[in-house]
Amino acid sequence: MISITYSLVKDKLVENSKNGVLDKVHATGIGKYSDEEKFEFYKEIFLDELNEKPINPSELRDVVEKIRCDFYSEPNVEENTYINILSFLSTASMNLQAQARSYEPEESYEQEGFYEPEESYEPEESYEPEGFYEPEESYEQEGSHEQEEKSSQMIQTNNKKLDEKEIYVKVMKKLVPFLKYSVLGASVGLGASIIIPSVGVSMLGGIRITYSIGKCANKIWSKKFLKGQPTPIDKVIDLGKEKLKSFAKKSLKDSYEKWALKAKKVSLFLKKREVQWFLNGMAAGYVVGNYYDLNGKIFNNNLRSSLQNNLNSATLSDQNSPISRTVNDPYDLNVERQLKNGPSLTRSNKLLNSESATNIGNQFSTDIEWLKTGENIDLSMVKEGFRDSLNAMTNKNSVGLLTEYATKGNGTFIKAFKLPNGEMFTGSIGDLISQGFDPSEISARVMNQNGDYAWLNVQDILNAYQNTIGKAR
Amino acid sequence: MKDKIISLKNGDSYYIIDEIDYLGKKYAYGIPCNLKNESLNEETAIIMELKTEQNQIIVDEIYDDEIALEVLKLFQKKFQEKQE
């Protein structure tokens, strides 16, 4: 049974090192430990947290969030921890695969396509050393007797080690093929998070299932058979039992058995461990990618570096201006200069924008009283917007779609952030940076349910919101 | 609808294997059939939503993939129960 493999993994490999590895990881970070220890830790996460239960994107998000919190609470955590997880899993699976091959070279377990798990996995009987040979009482000296006992103990130890290694390799041989799919899925998911960063987890579920049904069944359709047009039934034909029998004689035999088999085929495919590993990995990679994009340090670094040039150029260009010399730079740690200059409200627009954009990554707040996340706003009055380059490739009329959805009052959601200087910012900051927009020019992003989105002027959004509130009252 | 053939206004016909109710909606599991030849396309199966509009029974596609999968699982469970 698979559960035997599962328990073997947990008993032999995870439980023994669980506490120790976890303590070490939490104490000083994952990067300083051996590959074997790291692998135990990650394997535990993937086995226990992801693969034990059916896929549920929301649960998965919680799991990854927990992992994220664990790692980000580490003071010495590596900057690209999540990337390391994926790359390490990939490397570890390859190494273990090679290790297993070298141990039993005559047996090849590499399969083409999906690996068919065996119905049962019963490990060979563990080595049970036979009873010690008890030498008959002899006239030999005691010293030689002790020496013989020592040698038999060594034999026993060696055999025990060999036995553990054998079990380890056997377990790994079962585990590694699945791990490959997990890593593959994680890579795909991570890639998806980069390519389509704006879709939500629910969209991910759609991607998963579309993949699943399309891959395995490709002959069970839940859409496209009507070409998107609901069609009335013209007539219902009741053939009657007798007629139905004759009708069915030609091709429909044992209908329930046949359709049960067809449905079962789909279900079995989805239940296959490698598929689950792949989908789990994909979902994990996707969620990790998104979290990483939103919360990771690279994001902040990219944000700063992308805006550093603007900041520098603004400062240099205003060097001759008497106003700019009295600017109270919040990043200037010189207290005397701060006190001398005093608070200044006159700044160049460019510098103001650059500074506020620099603050986005660290100091944004969602606590805004009169503009809440998820508000439906009638945006019909906003006629023009800026399409982003990614969306423009797939949908040339995203602004029109946006207006249509917004007018109907469904599907439009807005995220609002308030900057320290009081400026309002709506939309996803991560997308703002990933798309390479200049925050000083475009400052609002709105997305509908279909994932079509447009960039709008933030003042237009606020005007539309006030207009909507006015109508509602 | 069960064990009956529905003929749509677009000319398609489906033999309805079974129906279920899920989340307040009715779904059917059918296979395309050709009334003229009295033959069934056993290689293809369709999961569809049945609803009423203006005193008509409308066949619609299931646009939500997650619902489609849940419906498929329910059908599978039902088929297995019948098989047993």
Side-chain angles (χ1 to χ4, degrees):
Chain A
M1 297 292 292
I2 290 173
S3 59
I4 295 177
T5 308
Y6 207 68
S7 63
L8 269 176
V9 171
K10 290 178 70 174
D11 295 342
K12 294 288 182 185
L13 301 173
V14 175
E15 290 298 328
N16 291 342
S17 58
K18 181 179 177 181
N19 296 327
V21 174
L22 279 177
D23 289 344
K24 290 176 184 175
V25 166
H26 283 267
T28 55
I30 192 72
K32 299 179 180 177
Y33 288 89
S34 68
D35 285 357
E36 192 174 349
E37 287 172 324
K38 283 191 216 172
F39 183 70
E40 298 306 319
F41 179 69
Y42 295 135
K43 182 155 54 63
E44 182 194 17
I45 294 172
F46 273 79
L47 277 175
D48 289 356
E49 301 282 4
L50 299 182
N51 203 44
E52 202 163 47
K53 292 180 288 187
I55 298 172
N56 182 331
S58 61
E59 290 180 6
L60 218 131
R61 185 174 49 187
D62 294 341
V63 168
V64 178
E65 171 67 6
K66 194 169 69 177
I67 299 171
R68 187 189 70 79
C69 290
D70 285 347
F71 280 106
Y72 272 88
S73 63
E74 297 291 335
N76 300 324
V77 70
E78 295 176 12
E79 193 173 52
N80 50 353
T81 299
Y82 294 124
I83 304 297
N84 279 354
I85 290 177
L86 299 176
S87 62
F88 175 78
L89 279 171
S90 175
T91 310
S93 65
M94 289 167 59
N95 291 342
L96 287 165
Q97 195 176 10
Q99 181 184 347
R101 276 179 178 165
S102 64
Y103 186 70
E104 286 185 359
E106 69 278 3
E107 187 179 349
S108 172
Y109 60 91
E110 193 171 7
Q111 305 276 337
E112 290 185 0
F114 279 136
Y115 174 75
E116 289 287 345
E118 294 177 10
E119 288 296 324
S120 63
Y121 171 68
E122 295 180 358
E124 293 179 5
E125 290 181 2
S126 59
Y127 175 75
E128 294 179 1
E130 297 177 359
F132 291 111
Y133 171 67
E134 297 181 0
E136 296 176 1
E137 289 185 3
S138 64
Y139 298 101
E140 290 180 11
Q141 296 178 359
E142 290 183 354
S144 62
H145 188 187
E146 286 177 358
Q147 191 176 0
E148 188 172 341
E149 193 172 350
K150 281 182 181 177
S151 63
S152 38
Q153 281 178 352
M154 284 177 66
I155 292 170
Q156 182 197 12
T157 311
N158 289 337
N159 283 333
K160 192 177 179 183
K161 282 184 178 178
L162 192 66
D163 190 37
E164 284 181 353
K165 185 179 179 184
E166 190 177 359
I167 292 175
Y168 179 79
V169 171
K170 282 183 180 294
V171 171
M172 283 299 112
K173 284 170 71 175
K174 296 290 177 185
L175 180 64
V176 165
F178 299 118
L179 198 61
K180 283 194 299 185
Y181 294 112
S182 181
V183 173
L184 179 65
S187 306
V188 172
L190 190 66
S193 73
I194 296 167
I195 296 168
I196 42 175
S198 58
V199 301
V201 175
S202 59
M203 179 78 79
L204 174 66
I207 295 168
R208 278 182 42 232
I209 294 162
T210 304
Y211 168 82
S212 308
I213 294 180
K215 180 72 178 176
C216 66
N218 69 41
K219 287 173 183 174
I220 292 185
W221 299 95
S222 60
K223 56 176 130 180
K224 295 183 180 177
F225 61 95
L226 293 174
K227 298 177 182 176
Q229 296 179 343
T231 309
I233 294 177
D234 191 19
K235 55 184 177 181
V236 178
I237 303 167
D238 186 2
L239 296 174
K241 289 185 179 178
E242 296 302 321
K243 177 68 177 173
L244 183 64
K245 282 182 181 176
S246 65
F247 191 88
K249 271 181 183 175
K250 292 185 178 178
S251 58
L252 188 65
K253 299 173 183 175
D254 301 325
S255 59
Y256 282 119
E257 183 183 356
K258 192 160 290 184
W259 309 127
L261 280 174
K262 188 181 278 290
K264 192 176 178 181
K265 186 180 172 188
V266 178
S267 182
L268 279 178
F269 180 87
L270 296 178
K271 283 180 181 174
K272 284 173 81 171
R273 282 174 68 88
E274 55 270 52
V275 179
Q276 292 294 311
W277 277 71
F278 175 82
L279 297 177
N280 279 337
M282 193 168 91
Y286 182 85
V287 179
V288 165
N290 268 358
Y291 273 116
Y292 193 60
D293 186 38
L294 289 176
N295 300 316
K297 295 178 183 178
I298 285 180
F299 159 69
N300 285 338
N301 291 339
N302 288 342
L303 177 66
R304 291 195 186 92
S305 62
S306 64
L307 296 169
Q308 193 61 42
N309 293 335
N310 289 339
L311 187 63
N312 293 338
S313 61
T315 309
L316 289 173
S317 62
D318 292 340
Q319 269 184 350
N320 297 327
S321 166
I323 295 176
S324 65
R325 290 184 179 184
T326 61
V327 164
N328 188 7
D329 188 350
Y331 300 102
D332 190 350
L333 299 178
N334 189 325
V335 179
E336 289 184 4
R337 194 155 50 216
Q338 294 274 352
L339 291 173
K340 182 182 177 183
N341 293 335
S344 173
L345 300 177
T346 54
R347 302 170 67 93
S348 69
N349 287 335
K350 200 168 184 181
L351 187 58
L352 182 67
N353 287 329
S354 299
E355 183 211 342
S356 55
T358 310
N359 283 335
I360 289 173
N362 299 326
Q363 301 181 25
F364 66 83
S365 167
T366 56
D367 184 19
I368 295 170
E369 295 178 358
W370 52 278
L371 184 59
K372 297 176 182 175
T373 301
E375 289 278 3
N376 288 328
I377 303 177
D378 181 1
L379 293 173
S380 56
M381 63 175 290
V382 183
K383 297 297 182 187
E384 293 183 358
F386 300 86
R387 284 196 299 271
D388 68 272
S389 57
L390 179 68
N391 209 29
M393 288 191 295
T394 56
N395 187 352
K396 295 180 180 178
N397 197 23
S398 61
V399 176
L401 275 173
L402 165 74
T403 308
E404 179 188 350
Y405 271 80
T407 307
K408 289 178 181 175
N410 67 7
T412 303
F413 73 86
I414 289 180
K415 290 180 180 176
F417 306 97
K418 196 172 186 178
L419 303 183
N421 64 1
E423 282 186 10
M424 192 69 68
F425 184 92
T426 65
S428 163
I429 299 168
D431 289 340
L432 178 72
I433 302 305
S434 64
Q435 299 298 329
F437 285 112
D438 184 351
S440 66
E441 296 175 359
I442 306 166
S443 49
R445 171 186 173 277
V446 184
M447 185 173 75
N448 64 21
Q449 275 182 331
N450 286 351
D452 303 315
Y453 55 89
W455 293 87
L456 303 171
N457 185 283
V458 69
Q459 194 57 46
D460 289 346
I461 297 282
L462 299 181
N463 291 341
Y465 182 75
Q466 288 173 345
N467 193 30
T468 306
I469 295 296
K471 285 179 181 177
R473 288 175 180 171
Chain B
M1 296 289 184
K2 185 182 169 187
D3 289 333
K4 293 175 183 172
I5 294 172
I6 58 172
S7 178
L8 307 186
K9 286 193 173 177
N10 63 6
D12 295 341
S13 299
Y14 300 101
Y15 175 76
I16 303 299
I17 304 289
D18 210 339
E19 292 176 11
I20 59 163
D21 292 320
Y22 178 65
L23 295 178
K25 293 183 178 179
K26 187 174 282 295
Y27 298 95
Y29 188 103
I31 51 175
C33 67
N34 190 328
L35 287 172
K36 291 180 182 177
N37 301 334
E38 291 190 354
S39 63
L40 298 167
N41 180 4
E42 296 179 65
E43 300 301 321
T44 305
I46 307 287
I47 308 172
M48 62 193 87
E49 182 187 343
L50 300 176
K51 54 188 179 183
T52 55
E53 281 182 12
Q54 299 175 350
N55 297 325
Q56 281 185 317
I57 302 175
I58 308 286
V59 174
D60 201 353
E61 299 172 355
I62 305 174
Y63 300 100
D64 189 328
D65 286 328
E66 293 196 38
I67 291 179
L69 189 64
E70 286 301 317
V71 169
L72 181 64
K73 286 179 181 174
L74 288 174
F75 274 120
Q76 182 219 345
K77 189 178 175 185
K78 200 170 178 183
F79 292 158
Q80 280 182 330
E81 288 173 355
K82 287 180 181 295
Q83 194 179 5
E84 292 168 357

